[in-house]
Structure formats: structure tokens, C-alpha cells
């Protein structure tokens, strides 16, 4: 997709939103600004930028300009080109110009053309080209409302005005670098309605589209049955909207935008459904989501369909090479039926969906490009589809751009107008410096060359350190499609906190999968691979966030743990890594020597010496180590028979650093009639720590020893049906999932099925009416931070639900993402600053309100929040413990 050359990633540094002027209804932005970051700012002021590509969480405004991005609502609101007013541009010679609108007949414009300056020559040159090619421009411009193919000469001069900024829209960086933009914004619509209509066949769906278009929908989408089945597999709760008997489903949205003043979108939607279903019988049924939240959920799934397609099992995979064609809406049936014929002749399965209101279809054939026959099929399908589109007066790209794949078909599409594009390229970029081979001058073989996994792709998996079934590691690596979801920087998303802080592509989960794929394919020399490998490994903190939101479900965290273990085995570990890998040993020693260790840890001199010796940053404040404490056995004290029996697994922090967490956990459970067992080995030794630090730093042997010992001690309780309770999400995740990776056995799998987070367990008891009501009032305002590993467990936020029963407590969930500590990552001198930057948004949010204290389930998150804000931080179990009157906060 990119090819060789200098790649400039504006999203890292040139990414500011410079000015929002709602009075003039315009914003000034830099090209690396992310769309939905801008939308969040505009929403607070009652405005929005209408183009809404499905990649809005991570696509940049510069990228939208360069491809003329649009999205589902372009039916009503148009594409990016309709909102570009000014562009700041750097040309190939280094010249910096600003292009904006001019009146052709004004003295200002005539003087500009006559000035002899570069800006004047460009304006005069473009105008001359447009005038000379006036007839071909009229004849060959696609008869569609969406078009991102070729140069948009048809939009440069309109109504007696010229604006060369539009010359750069859809130009894909081939004319110059866009470094700034002024974009038009509009007020947000008031009210909205959404309908899902079920059509039995294509003809009915197409006729329904024709009838719906005059009613003025904001969006009109279509999904064929294959796509619907995939959505239902991933989101079974949506089956009632997408019945199996429907061959096509239409998504129709209405809104009360200013252009529709006085129109109630709900009434319009209701009338449309009645007309299409009851009167015309073009749909067998229809349903409208009951709430705005349900509308948003359903629409989000529609937008996520492409990433869902990446989960289709191989070896054939969905391939994007004819995925953006547009035909006039009245030619939809002809197009789809002819396309089916093309794909049927080549014996290729496919999925089709798109923006039906504009005849824009996203077609994804399934091919195995490692097979030379499928590579040939891809080329033939592309050739035949382009012929079909041209014959229907459509375009080969409605919103994605031409790139390497479609440029060879531009000459066929634009005929006698194509030489005008060549003249434009020479006028702006005579040396062919910018993005060569796109739009003009394409290579006929560019579609089938440089394939990510083509016939030359011969992976060599090699041995693994973690447990992967044969071939699974390779499949996991290859599953990453590079869709870019992991570049999301919105604070409300879980995605990679390291990338959010660094904005460095190398930190993204997809970069890790890309690198591993290049390595197993032997495409990197050993030295380059080793250097890149070590750099990328350092950018993974093992939070598991990417696994939650990756649409392709790639387990990058497990791949990275395997890679770190392989690196450690071959190259060893640094001293600070060795020390932190044995954190439980340090914690044990500190507790035994707490009378000396605590004052020493408060000494700046000692901290500086410790930094030199261990790599633990001297700026990192460490909480005092607490004395060992034994919980009261309340059932025995009260002489009460237990209702149930569980095993408590205290990890490092609750055992050595703050035993009050273990005390609170045991006493809360026993207060509710649940017997708590603290198991020991035959020699009387307690459970070993979970082994997380050792695994994180690649010491799989040590982690495996801990795992085996714990599995052995816990197996009898698992066989007895007892639940294993953890208060540390990291320990829960380790026992539930990672043990079966480092000790693959039936016993490890059985253990994982019995391990629960304490609040997940208590929530179940609460919902069953088996949890006692807290009587003691906790009159406080508290913030709750959900740790990454709790989110990785996919159990939502059980502590919030359980603590809702605590009288007087006002609890606010904070959604600003990772705190940046990541276990021992934030302790290290080399990562301290990055750690604090990762947590900056969270700290700012916590300091924005007068919270009495903060809550988090994770011990190292608690340390980080305390370091970053000065707030007192409690484990939620201690709040419930106090609310039961068992102790004091």
C-alpha cells in the first residue's frame, strides 16, 4: 500500500487542532489531527464535521483530505471536498503556499495570474488545463455523487470561483504536502431516527432504495446476507435486527439537521417504514431501535463490519482491490448481478455491503494470494470489474482513493481526460517526487506485486516459548490485517497506551505483528531483525488492551510474551530486568526488614544509589511496607456454618506490601458466610506468587516453576469445586489464562475455569440476593480507575455494581485509560517519564474534581495514581470492608 520512500507521519507531531470558530463555522487544523478528537471538541459546542469514515477513531484529517473521505452520511452531507476552504501546502521545491477561493473576474485574481509568481503560474496553469479539456471533463467525469478517483478538476472552478485547495483533495499526496487546513463545520442535527429493513432479494432492495432516496435520509446503507451472518456471530444480541431469512438488509437514518428544519426524523422514519413494508411490500419487515444508545450500538457494528470480515477463517481471506466502486443508484441491480457473474465465473466467494443511497459498494472477494492461481484471479476480476464500472458510468473509487491498486485503471476510466491529469502532475510536481505511481504513471503490475503474503511468502515458524498448538503462532501473526484500529488515541478507548503516549507507529500492536511476520518470512537480515525486535519488545507493556479491541482478535500480548522469552533465552536480561523479574523476593526481604527498609526508601541518597544499582528510578515514590497481618476468621468466631467455601489467592502486594487487602478480602467473604481457605503445600509452605514479573521479563522457567507449584496446591480445591478468589486482576489473568500457556495441561485449564476476581464473585452473590447489605455509611466522593488487566478479563466493572450498595458513597468511574504503571514497567529509570506521560490524562482528570480518594483494584495502579496526583488510593475491597463495619479506611 505504501511502497518505498520517505514516509511522513503527521499524526505524531503535526497534529494540533489550532482554532475552532463556531461564529464563522470553521476550524483550523494540522493534518495529523484525528477526526473523532475534533468531533469531540465540536460536539461540546453543538457542531460537527460531516464526513464520517468508519475509521474516524484513528484516521487523520490530512488522510481524509488526500482521499476525499466521506462515509455513510455523505448521502446527505457530501464528502471532505465539500468542507475544505483553505489548505497550507509545501510543494516539491520547498515552497510554502496557501490555497483558498478567488473570484475569477476579480482584480485580485487577475493580478495573481499576471504576477509571474509560482502561485500565479499554478492558478493560471490549472485554469488553462480545465478550459482546454472542458469537453472531456464533461464527458468522462463519472456520473456519481461520490468520487475519489483521479484529480477532481470538476470541482476546482464552480460558480465563477476557483479554489486550488480542492485540487489537493483526493490527490493522495501526489501534488504536495498538506500542512494545514481550514474546514467548514455545521451545527449538529437535532433528533434522529434509524430503521433496519429486511429485503428478500436484490431487486426488492434496489427498488426500496429508489423509493427511500426522495425522502431525504441522512444515510442509506446495504448489507448482503454474508455480512449479516458475520455480524450476528460476533454480536448475537443483534440477531433480532438481522433475521436469517433476509437476503439484504437496509440501514436507513434520518436526522433533523438544519437543512431539514421543522422535520421530525422519527415521523419521517415511521412513514418510510410504512410505505416500504406495508404499502409497496418491498421489505418483509422492519424494526427501529428503541433508544439512541441502541441506535449507536447497531450503527457501530455496521461500521465495524470490515474488521469483522478479517476474522473469516483462511486460507482464503477478504482482499480489498475492488472494494470501493460506485455506480449510479439506478444501475445497482445491473451492477450487482453482473459482479456476481464475474465472481461466479472465477469461482470466488465474496461479501458485499456499502452506501446504497449513492451506489457505493464495498466488495470483498475471498482469495488466498499465496496461491499463484488466486493472484491471477485477482488481476482478472479487477480488469473485468473496472470494465463493468466504466460501462455503467461509475467510478472505481468512491472514497478510498486510487493508490497502487487502482491507478492502472485510471486511463480506462477517464479516457481523453487522462492527459489532463498528467499535465496537472507535471505542473505541481515536475520531478515526480511526491508519491510516484499513483493516479498517473501507474505500473500495470502494481496490483499483483509486493504482496504482503503472496506466492513468495514462505514462513518458518520455529520453536516457541509459550504454548502454541502447531501452526497457531504463525496463524496468529498472519491474522493481523493492519487495519489501524490499534492507532486509536481517544481516551475512552482501551487501545495501546504506549502508542497513545508516543504516537510512534513502532509502538502499535500491528507493528509488532508486522515485524514478526517479516521475521518468520525471512525478509529481514539478522542484524536488522534483532535491532527492530528489541526496540519493539520494549514498547509492549503486556497490558492486554489491544487484545480486547482488536477486530481481528490477534493475541498480540501472547505473541510478545513469547518473543520476550525467546529474546531473554538467547540474549539474557539486563540487571534491572533480573531484579524486577524476582519482585516477590524483593518484597519478601523488604517486609522482613521494614523497620530499616521504609526509612531508607524515603532517603534521596539511598534512592539515587538504588537507581544506579537496580535501575529503579529515584523519583518513584514507593509506599511503606506494612507488617504482616492475619485476618479474623469470622465464621469460627461466630460459630456459624459456612454457606460456601472458596480459596483466596493473595499475590505479591497483598502478601508482602499491604496485607490489609488480604485481611479485608477474607473478612468480607466470611462476613457473608463464605469460608475462606488459605492453602499450603505438604511442607506447610504458602502458595507461591503468581509469577507475573518473571513471565513479563522473559524468565519463563521461573514463571513455570511458580505455576506448577500453585497448580499442584490448588488442584485438590478445583476438584472439590471451590472457586479461587483473587484481589489482584493481574493474578486473576495469570491464573485464568497464562498458566495454560506456560504449563499446558488439563490441570492448568481446569484451574483457569475456577478462578474469579473477588468483585466478579461478589457481584454474582449480590445479584442472587446472597450478599449482605452494608450498614456503615461512607460519606465520601471517590473516583474509580479500572486497571487494564481487569478490562482484559472482560468482566466489565463489578466493583462499581457491588459498591453501589454502600450508603453515602458517590463513586465516579474514570475512563481516561491506562495509568501508565504497567506492573514494574513504570519503576524503571528508562521508562519513568514515558510511564508518567501515559498516565497524564488520568492524573488531570482525577485532579479536575475534589475527590476524597481514588479506588483501583490494582496495586501498582494505586502506586502510580498516588505518585501522579497525591490522592489516597484504596483497593475497593477495603471500602466494602469498612462499609460492613469490619474495619476503617
Amino acid at each position: 500500500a505504501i511502497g518505498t520512500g520517505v514516509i511522513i507521519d503527521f499524526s505524531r507531531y503535526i497534529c494540533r487542532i489550532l482554532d475552532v470558530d463556531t461564529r464563522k463555522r470553521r476550524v483550523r487544523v494540522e493534518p495529523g489531527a484525528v477526526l473523532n478528537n475534533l468531533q469531540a471538541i465540536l460536539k461540546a459546542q453543538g457542531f460537527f464535521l460531516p464526513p464520517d469514515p468508519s475509521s474516524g477513531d484513528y484516521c487523520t484529517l490530512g488522510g481524509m483530505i488526500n482521499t476525499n473521505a466521506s462515509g455513510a452520511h455523505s448521502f446527505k452531507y457530501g464528502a471532505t471536498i465539500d468542507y475544505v476552504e483553505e489548505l497550507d501546502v509545501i510543494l516539491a521545491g520547498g515552497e510554502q503556499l496557501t490555497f483558498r477561493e478567488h473570484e475569477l473576474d476579480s482584480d485580485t485574481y487577475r493580478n495573481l495570474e499576471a504576477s509571474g509568481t509560482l502561485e500565479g503560474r499554478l492558478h493560471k496553469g490549472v485554469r488553462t488545463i480545465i478550459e482546454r479539456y472542458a469537453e472531456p471533463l464533461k464527458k468522462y467525469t463519472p456520473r456519481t455523487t461520490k468520487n475519489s478517483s483521479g484529480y477532481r478538476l470538476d470541482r476546482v472552478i464552480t460558480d465563477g470561483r476557483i479554489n486550488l485547495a480542492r485540487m489537493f483533495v483526493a490527490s493522495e499526496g501526489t501534488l504536495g504536502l498538506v500542512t494545514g487546513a481550514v474546514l467548514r463545520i455545521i451545527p449538529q442535527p437535532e433528533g434522529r431516527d434509524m430503521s433496519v429493513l429486511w429485503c428478500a432479494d436484490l431487486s426488492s432492495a434496489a427498488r426500496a432504495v429508489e423509493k427511500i432516496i426522495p425522502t431525504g435520509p441522512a444515510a442509506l446503507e446495504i448489507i448482503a446476507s454474508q455480512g449479516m451472518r458475520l455480524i450476528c456471530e460476533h454480536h448475537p444480541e443483534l440477531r433480532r435486527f438481522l433475521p436469517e431469512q433476509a437476503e439484504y438488509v437496509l440501514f436507513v437514518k434520518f436526522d433533523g439537521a438544519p437543512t431539514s428544519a421543522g422535520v421530525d426524523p422519527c415521523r419521517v422514519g415511521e412513514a418510510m417504514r410504512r410505505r416500504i413494508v406495508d404499502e409497496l411490500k418491498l421489505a418483509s419487515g422492519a424494526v427501529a431501535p428503541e433508544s439512541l444508545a441502541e441506535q449507536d450500538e447497531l450503527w457501530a457494528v455496521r461500521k465495524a463490519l470490515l474488521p469483522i470480515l478479517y476474522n473469516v477463517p483462511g486460507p482464503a481471506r477478504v482482499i480489498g482491490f475492488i472494494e470501493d466502486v460506485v455506480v449510479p443508484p439506478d444501475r445497482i441491480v445491473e451492477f450487482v448481478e453482473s459482479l456476481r457473474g464475474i465472481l461466479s465465473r472465477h469461482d470466488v466467494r465474496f461479501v458485499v455491503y456499502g452506501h446504497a443511497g449513492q451506489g457505493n459498494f464495498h466488495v470483498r472477494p475471498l482469495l488466498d494470494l499465496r496461491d499463484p492461481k488466486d493472484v491471477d484471479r485477482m488481476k482478472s476480476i479487477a480488469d473485468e470489474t473496472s470494465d463493468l464500472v466504466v460501462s455503467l458510468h461509475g467510478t472505481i473509487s468512491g472514497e478510498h482513493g486510487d493508490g497502487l491498486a487502482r491507478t492502472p485503471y485510471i486511463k480506462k476510466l477517464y479516457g481523453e481526460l487522462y492527459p489532463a491529469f498528467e499535465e496537472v502532475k507535471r505542473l505541481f510536481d515536475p520531478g515526480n517526487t511526491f508519491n510516484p505511481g499513483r493516479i498517473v504513471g501507474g505500473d500495470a503490475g502494481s496490483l499483483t506485486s509486493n504482496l504482503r503474503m503472496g506466492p513468495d511468502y514462505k514462513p518458518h515458524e520455529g520453536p516457541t516459548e509459550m504454548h502454541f498448538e502447531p501452526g497457531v503462532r504463525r496463524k496468529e501473526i498472519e491474522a493481523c490485517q493492519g487495519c489501524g484500529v490499534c492507532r486509536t488515541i481517544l481516551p475512552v478507548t482501551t487501545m495501546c497506551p504506549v502508542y497513545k503516549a508516543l504516537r510512534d507507529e513502532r509502538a502499535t500492536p500491528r507493528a509488532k505483528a508486522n515485524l514478526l511476520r517479516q521475521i518468520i518470512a525471512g525478509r529481514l537480515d539478522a542484524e536488522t531483525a534483532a535491532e527492530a525486535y528489541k526496540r519493539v519488545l520494549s514498547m509492549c507493556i503486556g497490558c492486554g488492551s489491544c487484545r480486547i479491541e482488536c477486530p481481528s482478535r490477534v493475541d498480540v500480548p501472547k505473541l510478545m510474551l513469547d518473543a520476550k522469552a525467546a529474546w531473554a533465552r538467547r540474549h539474557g536480561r539486563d540487571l534491572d530486568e533480573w531484579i524486577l523479574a524476582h519482585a516477590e523476593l524483593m518484597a519478601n526481604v523488604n517486609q522482613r526488614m521494614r523497620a530499616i527498609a521504609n526509612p531508607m526508601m524515603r532517603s534521596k541518597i539511598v534512592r539515587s544509589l538504588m537507581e544506579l544499582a537496580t535501575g529503579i528510578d529515584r523519583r518513584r515514590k514507593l509506599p511503606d511496607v506494612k507488617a504482616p497481618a492475619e485476618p479474623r476468621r469470622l465464621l469460627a468466631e461466630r460459630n456459624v456454618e459456612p454457606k460456601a467455601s472458596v480459596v483466596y489467592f493473595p499475590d505479591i502486594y497483598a502478601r508482602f506490601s499491604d496485607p490489609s487487602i488480604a485481611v479485608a478480602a477474607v473478612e468480607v467473604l466470611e462476613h457473608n458466610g463464605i469460608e475462606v481457605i488459605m492453602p499450603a503445600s505438604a511442607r506447610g509452605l504458602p502458595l507461591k506468587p503468581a509469577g507475573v514479573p518473571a513471565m513479563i521479563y522473559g524468565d519463563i522457567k521461573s514463571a513455570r516453576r511458580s505455576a506448577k507449584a500453585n497448580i499442584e496446591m490448588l488442584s485438590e480445591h478445583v476438584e472439590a469445586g471451590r472457586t479461587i478468589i483473587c484481589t489482584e486482576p493481574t493474578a486473576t489473568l495469570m491464573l485464568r489464562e497464562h498458566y495454560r500457556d506456560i504449563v499446558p495441561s488439563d490441570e492448568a485449564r481446569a484451574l483457569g475455569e475456577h478462578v474469579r476476581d473477588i468483585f466478579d464473585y461478589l457481584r454474582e452473590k449480590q445479584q442472587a440476593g446472597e450478599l449482605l447489605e452494608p450498614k456503615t455509611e461512607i460519606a465520601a466522593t471517590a473516583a474509580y480507575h479500572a486497571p487494564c488487566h481487569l478490562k482484559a478479563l472482560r468482566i466489565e466493572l463489578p466493583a462499581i455494581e457491588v459498591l453501589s450498595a454502600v450508603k453515602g458513597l458517590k463513586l465516579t468511574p474514570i475512563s481516561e485509560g491506562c495509568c501508565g504503571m504497567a506492573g514494574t514497567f513504570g519503576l524503571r529509570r528508562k521508562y519513568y517519564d514515558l510511564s508518567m506521560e501515559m498516565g497524564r490524562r488520568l492524573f488531570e482528570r482525577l485532579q479536575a474534581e475534589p475527590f476524597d480518594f481514588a479506588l483501583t483494584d490494582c496495586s501498582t495502579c494505586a502506586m502510580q495514581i498516588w505518585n501522579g496526583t497525591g490522592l489516597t488510593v484504596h483497593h475497593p475491597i477495603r471500602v466494602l470492608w469498612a462499609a460492613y463495619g469490619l474495619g476503617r479506611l
Side-chain angles (χ1 to χ4, degrees), residues 147-151 172 386 390 395-397 401-403 405-418 421 438-442:
N147 185 23
S148 291
S149 210
Y151 293 123
E172 301 181 44
S386 64
V390 171
T395 179
I396 55 177
S397 176
D402 298 315
R406 283 184 276 269
T407 290
Y409 301 102
I410 297 293
K411 188 178 293 187
K412 179 195 301 183
L413 177 65
Y414 281 101
E416 296 171 19
L417 185 59
Y418 180 77
F421 296 166
R438 280 76 167 179
I439 299 182
V440 297

Side-chain angles (χ1 to χ4, degrees), residues 572-759:
R573 296 184 302 280
D574 296 338
L575 177 61
D576 61 338
E577 292 177 338
W578 188 94
I579 291 172
L580 293 172
H582 296 84
E584 66 272 15
L585 176 62
M586 293 174 56
N588 193 351
V589 171
N590 283 340
Q591 189 182 63
R592 293 174 183 274
M593 301 178 60
R594 62 187 177 279
I596 300 172
N598 285 335
M600 287 179 65
M601 289 300 99
R602 293 191 286 269
S603 165
K604 292 183 178 179
I605 296 175
V606 172
R607 299 303 309 283
S608 296
L609 292 173
M610 187 174 73
E611 179 181 85
L612 292 174
T614 67
I616 297 175
D617 197 284
R618 65 183 183 278
R619 294 168 290 178
R620 175 63 64 189
K621 293 186 294 182
L622 301 173
D624 284 351
V625 177
K626 308 288 195 312
E630 287 294 325
R632 290 176 295 160
R633 311 312 296 233
L634 298 178
L635 290 174
E637 284 182 13
R638 299 168 183 174
N639 195 25
V640 175
E641 285 294 316
K643 301 175 185 176
S645 177
V646 301
V647 173
Y648 175 55
F649 186 97
D651 201 52
I652 298 173
Y653 196 79
R655 180 179 297 175
F656 299 117
S657 299
D658 187 3
S660 71
I661 295 173
V663 168
V666 172
E667 293 184 2
V668 163
L669 290 165
E670 294 225 337
H671 179 67
N672 281 281
I674 302 163
E675 178 191 26
V676 180
I677 297 172
M678 310 280 280
S681 68
R683 292 182 293 164
L685 298 175
L687 287 161
K688 287 185 173 293
V692 176
M695 183 182 69
I696 289 293
Y697 289 106
D699 188 355
I700 292 295
K701 288 184 178 179
S702 295
R704 190 170 285 130
R705 280 196 298 270
S706 294
K708 286 181 175 178
N710 288 332
I711 291 168
E712 183 179 339
M713 275 191 272
L714 292 171
S715 286
E716 64 175 285
H717 300 287
V718 169
E719 291 172 5
R722 295 189 180 99
T723 299
I724 315 301
I725 299 292
C726 299
T727 47
E728 184 77 32
T730 301
T732 311
L733 192 65
M734 186 74 174
L735 270 63
R736 276 178 61 163
E737 299 187 15
H738 293 311
Y739 271 16
R740 67 186 70 178
D741 291 333
I742 59 178
V743 186
S745 64
D746 292 339
E747 292 78 9
R749 282 187 287 275
L751 171 60
E753 292 167 1
H754 283 74
V755 175
R756 300 281 294 278
D757 169 81
I758 189 168
F759 276 99

Side-chain angles (χ1 to χ4, degrees), residues 43 73 189-194 218 253-256 264-266 289 291-297 299:
K43 184 178 181 180
H73 293 81
E190 296 181 5
R192 51 192 164 100
D193 177 84
M194 182 175 176
K253 289 182 74 174
F254 293 93
D255 65 30
D264 182 347
C266 294
S291 65
L292 293 180
E294 209 170 44
Q295 286 187 33
D296 292 339
E297 180 184 15
W299 196 254

